[in-house]
Amino acid sequence: MTRPIIEMRNVVKSFGLFKALHGVDLQVKEGEIVVIIGPSGSGKSTLIRCINQLEEHNGGEIIVDGAEVGHGRKNTVLTEVGMVFQNFNLFPHMTVLRNVALGPVRVRGLSWAAAEDRAKRLLARVGLADQAMKYPAQLSGGQQQRVGIARALAMEPKVLLFDEPTSALDPEMVGEVLDVIQQLAKTGVTMIVVTHEMGFARKVADRVVFMDGGRIVEQSPPDQIFNAPRDPRLRSFLQAVLSH
Amino acid sequence: MATNVEALPVMSIFDTFLNWKVFVQTLPLLLSGLTTTLTLGVTAIILGFIGGLVLALLRLYANSPLRQITVAYIDVFRSIPILVLLVVIYYALPFVGLRLSSFGAAASALSLVSAAYSAEIFRAGIEAVPRGQFEAARAIGLSSWRRMSDVVLPQALRIVIPPITSNSINVMKDTALASVVAMPDLLKQATQAQALAANPTPLISAAVIYILILMPLVRLVGVFEKRLAARGR
């Protein structure tokens, strides 16, 4: 439980002239639940998108489960990293069941029958057993996001990345998705969650990371972040998001 | 009598352009031309479809020299008139030792041009698939080939059905150019029949046959689009 499964050393990412990450160092231990908070544009999403190489970092090192990723490497280790997207990004031309079963068949080499079995189990786990044969467009946002979680879980990843999983949801659906994520947190899978849900961060996180301006400004257990923030930027951020 | 004088020119229009006897006599010839036209059209549409898909993927994902060549190909073959290309292939290539039948020449010219147009249609279709789809496919670890075949292309193909169909209709119509290289297609047979019968009825028949063949295709697109929209995306 103590080996770092993700290690980022001095990671730099720029988009043209804009520097999104200014040399970030972050270690995540196996089984740890890290919640990343911070104002929009602070580099939170870029950071986790660098971990699974949806963005290739320009400098520094990212080591996932002992293997360095990026810069033309083969990145096979990244099949151990699952991601849940803000906009779900379900495949609209496939049934929910296919969405979940596709990865295990194509990447893990399971038969369709075995993968669909696994998909059904996972859909049941996120409370969608009866929606398997529907298409994503027939589901609510909250249901779609739970399918997104099942799809990521189907690959049995060691690390799960959540990129603002509730930001695109209607308020009444946020709870059902957070409940599922909270359930997952108990299973021992390593999770990195970018979110604006402070209540969730306080309840679920082992560690909260506060980012601002492409840097990690402060990181501590949630108690300390929320009750005794040190950096003035974190204090004003918390004031802004918690004041209403 | 007054009625006869007025009726006469009406009769002659029917005799000239819609002559039943000529129509019946020349119909077999026209139908053999139609078979050739359909064979040529379908061949060129299929080859153009496959070629266009390959070109689009090369243009989007190949490395630099190959991509430049693809871009050049697409630009050249979209600029050249099919008739000119056809004449070059049929009459000029034999000088460098490549002699194609009239069918071969026509099928090549139509496919080469159709592939260039289809490539641009496919490219637009692939680019219209939301970025998140590519990312989700990558995030579950699909290979680049699987990302295309399982996730991107099924969605892109759906998007391009209407433009690809109108391109196919154009290819079908352009088959008429093949009559220039002595290919016995529908138009060629119609002009032949016109000469034999000394009557333009076969031309009118040919026009009607083109419309009868292609209009359902045009309608079909609409039906197809509606059905896809109903299934949701």
Side-chain angles (χ1 to χ4, degrees), chain A residues 12-243:
Chain A
V12 175
K13 172 67 191 173
S14 29
F15 299 97
L17 290 177
F18 174 71
K19 225 172 185 187
L21 296 178
H22 291 264
V24 168
D25 294 291
L26 180 69
Q27 282 201 358
V28 179
K29 291 192 289 271
E30 226 172 328
E32 196 179 12
I33 294 162
V34 173
V35 172
I36 305 179
I37 60 172
S40 8
S42 58
K44 316 182 288 294
S45 286
T46 306
L47 185 140
I48 65 166
R49 287 165 60 86
C50 279
I51 293 175
N52 71 347
Q53 290 294 299
L54 289 182
E55 309 287 357
E56 195 168 353
H57 52 294
N58 309 111
E61 290 170 0
I62 300 176
I63 295 151
V64 178
D65 200 18
E68 188 172 354
V69 298
H71 305 302
R73 289 184 183 81
K74 268 204 88 181
N75 296 341
T76 37
V77 69
L78 291 180
T79 59
E80 302 302 330
V81 180
M83 186 171 224
V84 174
F85 296 88
Q86 180 174 355
N87 295 309
F88 331 133
N89 295 346
L90 298 181
F91 306 130
H93 57 297
M94 295 178 192
T95 61
V96 162
L97 190 67
R98 276 260 153 158
N99 263 278
V100 180
L102 183 69
V105 170
R106 297 300 193 217
V107 183
R108 299 283 195 239
L110 265 64
S111 69
W112 278 109
E116 286 180 359
D117 262 12
R118 181 189 287 185
K120 281 178 195 154
R121 271 203 317 277
L122 289 168
L123 286 171
R125 192 160 140 197
V126 297
L128 294 171
D130 48 342
Q131 313 286 332
M133 297 320 288
K134 289 190 177 169
Y135 284 86
Q138 296 169 287
L139 303 184
S140 74
Q143 291 173 321
Q144 289 191 49
Q145 190 58 299
R146 285 186 277 153
V147 175
I149 294 170
R151 181 175 66 177
L153 286 174
M155 293 296 293
E156 299 183 332
K158 293 183 180 166
V159 181
L160 268 176
L161 308 174
F162 292 84
D163 189 4
E164 304 201 24
T166 59
S167 297
L169 295 176
D170 291 334
E172 75 270 23
M173 292 169 184
V174 169
E176 63 187 70
V177 170
L178 290 182
D179 283 348
V180 168
I181 300 175
Q182 212 170 325
Q183 289 299 317
L184 283 178
K186 293 176 192 153
T187 65
V189 64
T190 311
M191 306 205 307
I192 304 179
V193 186
V194 170
T195 187
H196 293 290
E197 299 291 333
M198 294 304 143
F200 171 83
R202 196 192 286 259
K203 210 161 18 166
V204 178
D206 293 321
R207 175 163 46 124
V208 176
V209 171
F210 172 69
M211 290 187 71
D212 190 33
R215 290 186 176 83
I216 291 178
V217 175
E218 192 166 332
Q219 48 179 322
S220 305
D223 264 357
Q224 198 174 327
I225 287 275
F226 292 108
N227 299 332
R230 289 187 306 261
D231 194 277
R233 279 172 293 179
L234 173 55
R235 259 176 281 167
S236 66
F237 172 75
L238 288 176
Q239 215 160 31
V241 293
L242 296 177
S243 64

Side-chain angles (χ1 to χ4, degrees), chain B residues 5-55:
Chain B
V5 174
E6 272 173 14
L8 209 66
V10 177
M11 285 301 289
S12 81
I13 283 176
F14 271 93
D15 272 348
T16 311
F17 291 101
L18 303 164
N19 189 311
W20 181 253
K21 239 175 77 188
V22 174
F23 172 74
V24 172
Q25 273 171 3
T26 55
L27 192 60
L29 195 59
L30 293 187
L31 289 183
S32 84
L34 175 62
T35 313
T36 314
T37 288
L38 288 178
T39 313
L40 175 62
V42 169
T43 306
I45 286 168
I46 292 173
L47 291 178
F49 186 93
I50 297 168
L53 193 53
V54 172
L55 287 172

Side-chain angles (χ1 to χ4, degrees), chain B residues 50-60 70 73-74 112 115-116 119:
Chain B
I50 297 168
L53 193 53
V54 172
L55 287 172
L57 292 173
L58 287 177
R59 169 156 199 177
L60 285 169
T70 308
Y73 174 94
I74 291 170
L112 289 170

Side-chain angles (χ1 to χ4, degrees), chain B residues 28-218:
Chain B
L29 195 59
L30 293 187
L31 289 183
S32 84
L34 175 62
T35 313
T36 314
T37 288
L38 288 178
T39 313
L40 175 62
V42 169
T43 306
I45 286 168
I46 292 173
L47 291 178
F49 186 93
I50 297 168
L53 193 53
V54 172
L55 287 172
L57 292 173
L58 287 177
R59 169 156 199 177
L60 285 169
Y61 304 112
N63 49 21
S64 184
L66 196 50
R67 187 170 58 230
Q68 303 301 325
I69 294 168
T70 308
V71 172
Y73 174 94
I74 291 170
D75 289 354
V76 168
F77 282 90
R78 286 203 308 159
S79 317
I80 194 165
I82 295 184
L83 189 53
V84 175
L85 181 62
L86 184 57
V87 168
V88 167
I89 289 177
Y90 190 67
Y91 292 109
L93 285 190
F95 287 100
V96 294
L98 188 58
R99 189 177 300 276
L100 292 177
S101 65
S102 55
F103 183 88
S108 308
L110 289 170
S111 312
L112 289 170
V113 171
S114 174
Y117 278 100
S118 305
E120 287 302 90
I121 294 171
F122 283 128
R123 181 171 68 101
I126 290 169
E127 284 174 344
V129 174
R131 226 178 101 109
Q133 292 292 309
F134 291 79
E135 294 184 345
R138 266 181 69 178
I140 60 171
L142 297 185
S143 64
S144 51
W145 161 246
R146 282 297 178 192
R147 291 204 288 271
M148 272 294 138
S149 67
D150 286 349
V151 175
V152 177
L153 287 182
Q155 298 183 61
L157 290 181
R158 201 184 286 194
I159 295 169
V160 302
I161 284 171
I164 279 291
T165 308
S166 19
N167 183 58
S168 301
I169 292 168
N170 280 334
V171 172
M172 241 344 150
K173 289 195 284 190
D174 288 339
T175 54
L177 294 168
S179 55
V180 171
V181 293
M183 166 111 180
D185 75 317
L186 179 53
L187 178 62
K188 183 74 181 174
Q189 300 296 54
T191 41
Q192 193 114 337
Q194 178 196 19
L196 288 176
N199 182 294
T201 300
L203 271 182
I204 303 298
S205 316
V208 172
I209 293 175
Y210 276 117
I211 292 171
L212 284 179
I213 297 297
L214 292 174
M215 214 156 71
L217 250 175
V218 176

